[in-house]
Amino acid sequence: MIILGIETSCDETAISIINSEKNGEKTLIKVLGNQLFSQIAIHAQYGGVFPMMAKRSHAENMIPLFLECLKEAKLFYEEEKELSEEKKSTIKTILEREFELAEKLLDLAKDISTPKIDAIAVTQGPGLEPALWVGLNFAKAISYLWNIPLIPTNHMEGHIFAGLMKKVNNDYEIITPEMPTIALLISGGHTQLVLSKSLQEYEVIGETRDDAVGEAFDKVARIIGLPYPGGPQISKLADKERTESGLNAEKKWNLPRPMIHSKDLDFSFSGLKTSVLYTVKKIPELTEKIKQEIAREFEDAVVEVLSSKTRSAVEQFGAKTLVLGGGVSANKEIRTKLAKLAEEINVTFFVPEISASTDNSLMIAVAGLFNYSNQKPYFGEILKADGNLKLN
Ligand code: KG4
Ligand code: ZN
């Protein structure tokens, strides 16, 4: 089965084409095309993602990326054809709010043959709604245009699948984890512990009550004067500090470990961020060295809380597998410490390769593949982007 995956939930426009094959119990994935445009440079000047600018950039880049992806996958063939007035007008209606994208798509559609794709998986949510709509409406439009089944997909389920993609040469094998599984999902918008008693059955057993981990990283970075997105920057500084001062250096700054002793599996990171702010306010001169020390203490605090809650979740539900996912799973210290924890408590540990940790469309194509049953091409029914789409 050939699946097109489309992801536009935040500041990455991503399109992939995969070919999946069943080999007995095994699912093998060949990546035929994989294109991603990061909007970091656009948002960096404002210190965060502006939803309406993200939307505009997704709409501008969608067709060029799609075309590039088709070419890469060798699914691009020129063929001149007439589109009926009815088709043209329906596409304009579907892409009513992305008017220029409609024009570009109609322009493209009259010059290429119908791509040999079996299904289109697209992120429906959660994420920034204006951004999500672009991907979803584009997916609806090409689903209708070429009569290809459409699979609305949950971004967080995508992050879980990212952890289950094992690289074999240039392809991937999808791991079937031993159940129950606990997934720790940490991204810019989410911090969740998810229990699965069987494949694709999800129960959120803990989540943040305020800021997500990635959000806290980004805000702390801003407080100490680092550019957006701050997560990787904080991580770099913290690493530098560990190398320079050693693992047992005396602590100069003490940040709280919020909710580490609470009985539930919830998190809170907004107080931790505020603590950094108050700490920094009291320092007359914020030197590079002090920034490093604070970055390290902040990262240590996050790692301790994440580890402690994950340990409780695994023990409470007798989990056999731990999956780490979401953009913050690119963080070296978090990967290392959670791998260590998994070893200690005797669960199998899976984490995406760094490039698949942050938002991408491969994970959406794979999640779509597992959600495909007998989806139909889009035909005008109501299908909305949902910024708060739940996992279930
Ligand atoms: O999953 P993701 O790409 O987008 C959302 O779905 O939110 O996650 C993005 C988040 C950002 O907050 C970014 O700062 C953070 O992941 N992030 C990191 C690292 N790489 C990305 N945080 C800490 N350390 C990193 N190395
Ligand atoms: Zn994400």
Side-chain angles (χ1 to χ4, degrees):
M1 209 163 136
I2 295 185
I3 298 194
L4 174 76
I6 301 175
E7 155 66 35
T8 65
S9 71
C10 190
D11 58 351
E12 252 98 36
T13 320
I15 303 190
S16 309
I17 301 176
I18 61 166
N19 192 0
S20 75
E21 233 174 73
K22 279 259 176 209
N23 184 350
E25 283 294 287
K26 282 185 184 166
T27 305
L28 302 171
I29 303 289
K30 243 188 204 336
V31 179
L32 304 181
N34 194 22
Q35 297 289 328
L36 184 144
F37 175 80
S38 164
Q39 302 174 3
I40 283 179
I42 297 172
H43 300 294
Q45 51 190 319
Y46 306 99
V49 181
F50 263 59
M52 293 320 282
M53 289 186 60
K55 175 190 160 86
R56 197 196 308 158
S57 170
H58 285 309
E60 273 171 15
N61 290 299
M62 189 60 77
I63 294 279
L65 286 172
F66 175 59
L67 203 56
E68 211 39 53
C69 198
L70 281 181
K71 287 181 178 167
E72 192 188 348
K74 305 202 167 37
L75 293 172
F76 171 87
Y77 295 101
E78 286 183 43
E79 179 191 323
E80 271 187 42
K81 54 179 166 193
E82 273 298 313
L83 289 185
S84 70
E85 285 309 315
E86 189 197 342
K87 277 222 153 154
K88 285 189 204 163
S89 107
T90 306
I91 292 213
K92 282 184 186 161
T93 310
I94 297 172
L95 288 168
E96 206 166 30
R97 288 182 289 176
E98 293 80 21
F99 176 72
E100 284 168 24
L101 182 53
E103 292 294 323
K104 283 194 212 163
L105 176 60
L106 289 173
D107 221 34
L108 174 76
K110 65 178 177 36
D111 295 332
I112 69 168
S113 63
T114 303
K116 290 204 168 15
I117 290 167
D118 298 303
I120 301 163
V122 61
T123 306
Q124 181 184 14
L128 302 171
E129 265 176 32
L132 287 164
W133 274 113
V134 179
L136 185 66
N137 283 341
F138 178 71
K140 284 182 195 173
I142 58 175
S143 167
Y144 162 79
L145 174 66
W146 290 315
N147 211 27
I148 303 171
L150 183 66
I151 319 166
T153 303
N154 186 303
H155 182 81
M156 302 316 286
E157 185 174 30
H159 276 307
I160 296 179
F161 272 105
L164 300 176
M165 293 168 64
K166 190 175 117 196
K167 195 144 196 182
V168 187
N169 302 321
N170 276 328
D171 304 332
Y172 292 94
E173 185 187 319
I174 308 300
I175 293 155
T176 309
E178 201 183 342
M179 300 293 167
T181 290
I182 297 284
L184 172 64
L185 302 181
I186 44 179
S187 69
H190 290 81
T191 299
Q192 301 183 318
L193 280 162
V194 181
L195 169 70
S196 296
K197 291 182 180 157
S198 61
L199 199 66
Q200 291 196 273
E201 183 207 314
Y202 306 108
E203 186 189 340
V204 177
I205 52 173
E207 62 191 326
T208 182
R209 296 189 180 170
D210 39 59
D211 291 356
V213 178
E215 195 178 352
F217 264 94
D218 295 339
K219 286 178 177 168
V220 165
R222 208 178 312 165
I223 293 169
I224 61 176
L226 302 170
Y228 168 85
Q233 309 273 343
I234 293 274
S235 166
K236 233 185 270 169
L237 281 193
D239 267 356
K240 194 158 174 239
E241 175 58 19
R242 282 187 198 97
T243 315
E244 278 180 21
S245 303
L247 295 181
N248 301 316
E250 197 191 323
K251 275 205 324 186
K252 299 204 187 81
W253 316 100
N254 283 295
L255 295 172
R257 272 63 176 154
M259 292 183 72
I260 199 161
H261 296 302
S262 73
K263 292 271 174 293
D264 53 35
L265 297 169
D266 284 347
F267 303 90
S268 162
F269 292 103
S270 129
L272 177 56
K273 162 205 71 193
T274 312
S275 283
V276 174
L277 182 65
Y278 288 150
T279 305
V280 167
K281 273 192 174 162
K282 282 187 236 148
I283 301 170
E285 197 200 344
L286 198 60
T287 61
E288 267 314 296
K289 181 68 178 162
I290 296 177
K291 285 185 188 179
Q292 272 176 221
E293 291 164 357
I294 290 176
R296 177 195 177 158
E297 168 66 1
F298 167 75
E299 206 175 66
D300 284 347
V302 168
V303 170
E304 280 173 39
V305 174
L306 292 177
S307 300
S308 160
K309 295 281 170 163
T310 305
R311 175 195 287 268
S312 303
V314 165
E315 288 172 354
Q316 201 172 319
F317 293 94
K320 299 277 195 325
T321 309
L322 173 62
V323 181
L324 180 62
V328 188
S329 72
N331 181 283
K332 199 171 115 199
E333 183 70 6
I334 296 177
R335 292 168 86 90
T336 312
K337 287 287 163 64
L338 276 137
K340 239 184 218 159
L341 170 73
E343 206 180 305
E344 213 178 292
I345 56 181
N346 204 20
V347 292
T348 315
F349 181 60
F350 296 112
V351 62
E353 356 168 27
I354 306 259
S355 64
S357 291
T358 44
D359 288 350
N360 64 87
S361 45
L362 274 183
M363 68 184 199
I364 300 304
V366 171
L369 169 70
F370 278 79
N371 282 301
Y372 183 81
S373 46
N374 55 355
Q375 264 81 9
K376 300 271 178 301
Y378 182 71
F379 214 79
E381 58 277 18
I382 291 171
L383 176 59
K384 291 185 175 171
D386 182 353
N388 297 312
L389 189 67
K390 300 279 178 275
L391 250 185
N392 54 26

